[in-house]
Amino acid sequence: MHPRRSGGPADRAESDRLLDAARAGSPPGPQTDPLTRLLSAAAGPATAGEIAGEDRAVAAFRAARAGPVPAVRPRRRLRIAAALSGLAATAVAGVAFAAVRLDRHPDPVIPPAATARWRWGR
């Protein structure tokens, strides 16, 4: 617990003392701080409304555990298709990269300068 936060217990020993008092069954009064009321409610015995349906839930859990384990079928075709698609994409990208690298000239080609004396129709 954070020390002296909003008037709550100062340390773990104080929290343990509050829990022990709650377990002993001393109900908190209306003027008790909220933390003491919360700890008292959490440490107290369960009421009938809180455990209604517990037997059904335990029986359903045990029945589910006793049943057959569902077989998990891997989607092998999907995995193979994904692997082949990745391989094809990698191959196409590699070919495109090689084509770009082979087409590159080491020195840029400078176009010849146009002459102003040339005319159409001569």
Side-chain angles (χ1 to χ4, degrees):
M1 300 242 146
H2 192 275
R4 297 287 176 206
R5 186 176 82 183
S6 70
D11 57 6
R12 186 176 182 100
E14 179 72 13
S15 299
D16 288 339
R17 187 188 64 73
L18 289 172
L19 275 173
D20 290 340
R23 285 188 192 112
S26 57
Q31 300 297 348
T32 317
D33 80 58
L35 179 61
T36 304
R37 286 195 307 269
L38 176 69
L39 290 174
S40 176
T47 63
E50 292 174 340
I51 58 173
E54 178 184 11
D55 295 332
R56 287 190 314 253
V58 169
F61 176 77
R62 288 183 178 152
R65 294 281 295 174
V69 177
V72 178
R73 186 176 145 224
R75 297 182 178 175
R76 188 173 179 162
R77 287 184 184 168
L78 181 62
R79 289 181 184 164
I80 291 173
L84 289 177
S85 297
L87 183 63
T90 303
V92 168
V95 169
F97 181 73
V100 168
R101 296 291 294 174
L102 290 176
D103 194 34
R104 185 176 292 176
H105 295 289
D107 295 326
V109 178
I110 300 172
T115 57
R117 294 185 182 203
W118 187 84
R119 292 186 178 197
W120 290 92
R122 266 194 181 185

